[in-house]
Amino acid sequence: MSSLRLHDSLRRTKVPFEPMVPGKVGMYVCGPTPYAPAHIGHAYSAIAFDTIRRALTFLGYEVRYVRNVTDVDDKIIKRAHETGEDPVALAARFTTAYNEDMARFAVQPPTVEPKVSTHIAEIVAIVEKLVAAGKAYALDDGVYYSVDSFPAYGQLSGVTRDELREGARVEVDSKKRDPADFALWKTAKPGEPSWDSPWGKGRPGWHIECSAMTTTHLGPTFDLHGGGKDLIFPHHENEIAQSQGAYGEGTFARYWLHNGFLNFEGEKMAKSVGNVFGCDQIADAVGGEALRFFCVSHHYRSPVEFTTQAVPGPDGKPVMRFYSLEAADRRLAYFYETLARIDAFTSAKSGGDGGDGAVLPETEILLTAAVAALSDDFNSPVVMADLGEAARIANKLLDEGKGIDKGVRRRSLARLGRDLRTVGVALGILGSAPADFLAARRARQVKSLGIDTAQVAALMVERTTARAAKDFARADAIRGELAALGVELLDTPGGTDWRVLEASS
Ligand SMILES: [Zn+2]
């Protein structure tokens, strides 16, 4: 077991991680409120915590990962009224779509995915506990948490009591004892989904679900709690107040992890700015793995700059260019091309992997380096640099390794190929067969550049015929014609193939 250190938002510093049970981690992350298709911001957060979960697994921990679905919420109810659907059914539909979208970015399903609508009894039980302890009180319109009953309020966010009172929205006619008190249970309004409770028909407030779900699936105290930075206040602050109010001081999350924001050329993501890109739009443009690759190239706590521009497409209509992701896609292609070369070189047909025995020292350090970097607050950018170095060494060995002992060279390349993939799993990248990735990438490029593949095929046949007839002038001319179409020929041992010429940007 590694000695993992992580940045705990509560202690505001990097601390050694000591799980409650050695070798096991209970981890909770606040999940989606599904009322519309998922966008790049959802994907970014899901990827960040999926990478942390994968990294923990890679470091040898057995991870129980709970990510909830808020399927009872004002926004869902509003949307359901617009579409005429049942709110819980609408949320279920968008939850399925969310999980399909996240799968495009190699986000693994959580161990448990609890929903509010199936945890009402657990939510009611914790609210009852808080009322009985005098930490919450019932009014006509619901049950409220008394912030005054929890002196430690503000410990995570640093928000003071005065700031809290000043910032609280003053609600007209509210009978709340303090403007800062927040709803645990809301009395049913006509046309809203509702459930029976000791306070009449109603539905949960937003924050209480996470206190109920963590207790149900991880116990009153558990190891890691994660979410976006925007959730620190009030959501996570309220979660702490609720859970410690119900189960006592020192309970609930033992470490807090928060991920940074995605910025678009200095702007935050916002519908008004027009940069709320759908997951399908991203995956169609550059492939899901490019976004994953881009995300893990940055540290999860750092704000990330994302560059885009609308430019005229082949048919004159504007097309969104995702420059950051296109760069990630090119780099990813380099890794897959490297893996394809290693596979071809070490296949049984071309001489094998060299069996057991010594390898070059520089080819056996990747795993150890990845363990060290991921043990340092999940430092994925350092791992990405290590992967880049391993790929560089592999290509050098393939290009210039003739002077090296045959067995050592084969074993070294096989080792690099295996370790590149193993470390790739820890980050959620390089999981495809290289031929599949490269074919899908070419299909996307062909589509976006409007390349006529039938014309390419015809020119290639003509070139083969010309070469067979020793008409090399014509064969060369055809190579030039293909280049003008944006196509580059590749003469490989298996015959002639082609790829799309990389844009210079
Ligand atoms: Zn939550």
Side-chain angles (χ1 to χ4, degrees):
M1 194 65 55
S2 63
S3 55
L4 170 61
R5 290 171 64 80
L6 47 79
H7 186 276
D8 178 19
S9 315
L10 187 62
R11 296 175 186 83
R12 293 173 172 73
T13 185
K14 239 187 253 184
V15 293
F17 173 64
E18 284 153 13
M20 291 168 72
V21 179
K24 295 194 176 188
V25 178
M27 170 172 166
Y28 183 85
V29 172
C30 300
T33 301
Y35 65 96
H39 57 63
I40 187 171
H42 298 124
Y44 181 67
S45 185
I47 291 169
F49 288 103
D50 181 72
T51 305
I52 288 173
R53 182 236 199 131
R54 284 171 176 267
L56 286 165
T57 307
F58 174 74
L59 294 174
Y61 294 97
E62 191 186 311
V63 184
R64 180 171 170 79
Y65 180 29
V66 182
R67 191 189 66 206
N68 73 316
V69 175
T70 303
D71 67 343
V72 178
D73 173 86
D74 290 343
K75 291 192 277 290
I76 295 169
I77 295 167
K78 183 169 176 277
R79 183 98 179 95
H81 282 165
E82 287 162 10
T83 62
E85 268 175 287
D86 171 68
V88 173
L90 177 133
R93 182 161 66 83
F94 281 115
T95 302
T96 304
Y98 173 88
N99 284 324
E100 284 168 5
D101 276 337
M102 294 313 125
R104 299 170 189 243
F105 309 115
V107 172
Q108 296 173 324
T111 320
V112 191
E113 190 178 44
K115 294 180 289 193
V116 176
S117 61
T118 55
H119 287 71
I120 300 293
E122 292 84 348
I123 290 170
V124 167
I126 187 169
V127 178
E128 279 188 296
K129 212 169 158 53
L130 288 167
V131 172
K135 315 236 174 198
Y137 57 91
L139 295 176
D140 294 348
D141 61 348
V143 181
Y144 291 89
Y145 188 94
S146 169
V147 171
D148 249 350
S149 75
F150 189 66
Y153 196 90
Q155 58 187 327
L156 180 68
S157 60
V159 172
T160 66
R161 308 304 288 264
D162 288 343
E163 284 169 342
L164 185 62
R165 298 231 159 75
E166 278 165 27
R169 195 154 43 100
V170 179
E171 291 142 276
V172 185
D173 294 337
S174 174
K175 295 187 190 117
K176 286 198 296 188
R177 290 179 191 166
D178 188 310
D181 293 353
F182 57 91
L184 300 171
W185 187 262
K186 296 177 174 184
T187 304
K189 289 184 192 144
E192 288 187 356
S194 64
W195 291 266
D196 289 325
S197 85
W199 317 282
K201 278 198 173 295
R203 62 182 170 98
W206 171 33
H207 315 295
I208 193 66
E209 65 187 68
C210 294
S211 290
M213 288 169 181
T214 50
T215 308
T216 305
H217 298 285
L218 297 169
T221 305
F222 57 95
D223 296 305
L224 296 180
H225 192 319
K229 272 195 174 120
D230 52 335
L231 293 181
I232 293 177
F233 184 83
H235 183 57
H236 289 162
E237 200 70 78
N238 291 353
E239 286 184 14
I240 296 173
Q242 294 162 162
S243 286
Q244 296 194 353
Y247 300 104
E249 204 182 314
T251 61
F252 206 50
R254 300 172 65 244
Y255 301 87
W256 285 88
L257 305 174
H258 288 101
N259 73 295
F261 289 123
L262 204 52
N263 294 316
F264 296 81
E265 306 189 59
E267 304 246 35
K268 278 197 187 153
M269 193 175 59
K271 284 207 179 78
S272 58
V273 184
N275 58 15
V276 183
F277 302 111
C279 290
D280 49 353
Q281 189 184 359
I282 297 290
D284 289 350
V286 289
E289 195 172 347
L291 178 62
R292 177 98 199 190
F293 188 96
F294 174 76
C295 291
V296 297
S297 301
H298 298 84
H299 191 260
Y300 75 94
R301 288 197 298 116
S302 307
V304 173
E305 288 301 324
F306 194 82
T307 46
T308 58
Q309 194 184 353
V311 298
D315 55 3
K317 286 188 201 146
V319 182
M320 188 56 71
R321 292 286 302 271
F322 299 99
Y323 294 118
S324 316
L325 297 183
E326 288 169 21
D329 184 43
R330 281 194 295 276
R331 187 75 178 145
L332 201 44
Y334 163 77
F335 277 104
Y336 274 113
E337 279 162 4
T338 304
L339 285 174
R341 290 189 74 195
I342 294 172
D343 292 350
F345 187 83
T346 59
S347 74
K349 211 171 111 194
S350 66
D353 62 8
D356 293 333
V359 298
L360 296 168
E362 66 268 32
T363 65
E364 60 178 354
I365 55 176
L366 179 57
L367 287 186
T368 317
V371 166
L374 292 174
S375 299
D376 178 21
D377 195 27
F378 313 110
N379 202 334
S380 60
V382 169
V383 181
M384 294 298 277
D386 294 337
L387 283 173
E389 179 60 9
R392 189 191 66 78
I393 292 167
N395 282 301
K396 192 156 186 278
L397 265 177
L398 287 158
D399 293 337
E400 309 165 11
K402 290 209 175 71
I404 297 164
D405 173 85
K406 262 187 198 158
V408 170
R409 186 181 180 207
R410 287 190 175 280
R411 281 193 294 276
S412 297
L413 280 161
R415 173 72 186 255
L416 284 170
R418 201 163 58 232
D419 290 356
L420 278 165
R421 287 184 163 102
T422 304
V423 175
V425 170
L427 300 180
I429 57 170
L430 305 180
S432 296
D436 292 348
F437 173 89
L438 294 167
R441 181 170 190 260
R442 191 174 81 179
R444 278 194 308 275
Q445 291 174 314
V446 160
K447 197 172 158 217
S448 77
L449 297 172
I451 294 171
D452 181 347
T453 51
Q455 191 186 0
V456 172
L459 283 168
M460 283 174 69
V461 169
E462 197 191 332
R463 178 170 170 267
T464 308
T465 311
R467 279 163 64 114
K470 302 206 179 316
D471 183 355
F472 297 114
R474 178 62 194 138
D476 281 350
I478 291 170
R479 189 179 272 275
E481 285 173 40
L482 285 164
L485 294 174
V487 164
E488 178 186 21
L489 290 175
L490 302 167
D491 288 313
T492 72
T496 306
D497 200 358
W498 62 277
R499 69 177 170 196
V500 176
L501 280 164
E502 297 293 347
S504 53
S505 66

